[in-house]
């Protein structure tokens, strides 16, 4: 499967899971000094190879008939900041977006949240497609695999496209969990000591399986 096909397939998967609606959201994959990214105004549930363009890390055009997403600067900025990142997923997922409209930070309620690096920061609001928004999100992503965007949506990254997609799905599950827990009463985040114990246990047991966020069962 070509890099453009991989990006289109990831977009369709995220749309099927309800994280991408209509043309809202974007997906990219870095390969060397090239980036395959969804084009502007693409209906992501039906994305195909022609809906993905290829640019260089400096933003110059390489391949494709469409203009790249308006959030291209955000994607390229993340790649510039994080050489280990191989893919970026930006969604308008319903629970993630709802949480980003209310909270300043998504606390760690469940130990699997630590797969994303800890509490998820909410980047301050800025108009979509602007350098200001890209800067806010890049800061919120520091030492994290995901961030929320105030009154906008979410961004997840990963070493591979599969990892970035799984991180986006996990973040949405965690936001849904927070919503449901909050409806029952005062949420009870894990303490720093409890989080440290989880990390120690994961290292001891080589715990590394990352669940798909829309799975209903959790251990």
């Amino acid at each position: 499967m070509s890099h453009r096909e991989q990006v289109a397939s990831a977009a369709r998967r995220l749309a099927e899971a309800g994280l991408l609606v209509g043309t809202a959201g974007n997906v990219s994959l870095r390969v060397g000094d090239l980036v395959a990214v969804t084009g502007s105004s693409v209906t992501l549930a039906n994305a195909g190879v022609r809906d993905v363009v290829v640019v260089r890390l400096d933003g110059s055009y390489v391949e494709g008939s469409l203009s790249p997403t308006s959030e291209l600067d955000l994607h390229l900025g993340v790649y510039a900041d994080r050489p280990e990142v191989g893919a970026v997923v930006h969604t308008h997922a319903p629970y993630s977006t709802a949480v980003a409209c209310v909270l300043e930070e998504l606390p760690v309620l469940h130990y699997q949240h630590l797969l994303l690096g800890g509490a998820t920061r909410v980047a301050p609001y800025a108009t979509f497609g602007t350098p200001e928004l890209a800067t806010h999100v890049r800061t919120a992503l520091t030492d994290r695999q995901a961030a929320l965007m105030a009154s906008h949506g979410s961004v997840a990254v990963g070493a591979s496209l599969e990892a970035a997609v799984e991180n986006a799905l996990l973040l949405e599950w965690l936001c849904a969990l927070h919503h449901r827990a909050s409806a029952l009463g005062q949420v009870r985040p894990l303490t720093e000591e409890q989080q440290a114990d989880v990390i120690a246990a994961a290292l001891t047991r080589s715990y590394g399986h990352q669940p798909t966020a829309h799975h209903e069962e959790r251990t």
Side-chain angles (χ1 to χ4, degrees), residues 82-165:
R82 306 270 295 273
E84 81 281 7
V85 168
V88 178
V89 170
H90 164 46
T91 84
H92 291 186
Y95 284 104
S96 297
T97 303
V99 167
C101 290
V102 178
L103 300 184
E104 298 295 328
E105 181 179 83
L106 178 67
V108 178
L109 301 187
H110 192 284
Y111 67 88
Q112 286 181 317
H113 198 150
L114 297 178
L115 290 169
L116 302 181
T120 302
R121 305 180 186 102
V122 179
Y125 179 80
T127 304
F128 74 92
T130 61
E132 183 181 11
L133 176 62
T135 297
H136 289 335
V137 175
R138 289 162 63 184
T139 298
L141 278 170
T142 301
D143 68 20
R144 296 290 190 271
Q145 297 302 304
L148 293 165
M149 307 159 72
S151 301
H152 187 151
S154 71
V155 171
V157 303
S160 65
L161 184 54
E162 176 68 16
V165 169

Side-chain angles (χ1 to χ4, degrees), residues 17-218:
L19 274 68
L20 299 178
V21 180
T23 64
N26 31 81
V27 178
S28 72
L29 170 65
R30 175 172 66 180
V31 182
D33 64 348
L34 299 179
V35 175
V37 60
T38 47
S40 179
S41 301
V42 168
T43 301
L44 296 159
N46 302 320
V49 173
R50 294 182 179 179
D51 298 311
V52 180
V53 300
V54 179
V55 299
R56 297 181 181 87
L57 288 173
D58 63 5
S60 57
Y61 169 85
V62 175
E63 185 180 9
S65 60
L66 302 177
S67 297
T69 172
S70 60
E71 301 293 0
L72 180 63
D73 285 349
L74 169 57
H75 290 252
L76 298 181
V78 171
Y79 293 134
D81 292 341
R82 306 270 295 273
E84 81 281 7
V85 168
V88 178
V89 170
H90 164 46
T91 84
H92 291 186
Y95 284 104
S96 297
T97 303
V99 167
C101 290
V102 178
L103 300 184
E104 298 295 328
E105 181 179 83
L106 178 67
V108 178
L109 301 187
H110 192 284
Y111 67 88
Q112 286 181 317
H113 198 150
L114 297 178
L115 290 169
L116 302 181
T120 302
R121 305 180 186 102
V122 179
Y125 179 80
T127 304
F128 74 92
T130 61
E132 183 181 11
L133 176 62
T135 297
H136 289 335
V137 175
R138 289 162 63 184
T139 298
L141 278 170
T142 301
D143 68 20
R144 296 290 190 271
Q145 297 302 304
L148 293 165
M149 307 159 72
S151 301
H152 187 151
S154 71
V155 171
V157 303
S160 65
L161 184 54
E162 176 68 16
V165 169
E166 289 297 324
N167 286 337
L169 291 166
L170 176 57
L171 177 59
E172 178 68 357
W173 183 82
L174 292 165
C175 288
L177 174 66
H178 187 281
H179 176 269
R180 291 164 180 159
S182 298
L184 294 174
Q186 183 68 37
V187 297
R188 188 174 61 246
L190 297 183
T191 65
E192 290 186 8
E193 181 179 0
Q194 289 170 331
Q195 293 180 46
D197 287 345
V198 169
I199 294 171
L203 292 173
T204 299
R205 303 175 188 178
S206 299
Y207 177 82
H209 173 66
Q210 184 168 321
T212 299
H214 58 267
H215 285 179
E216 287 301 322
E217 295 186 356
R218 287 292 185 272

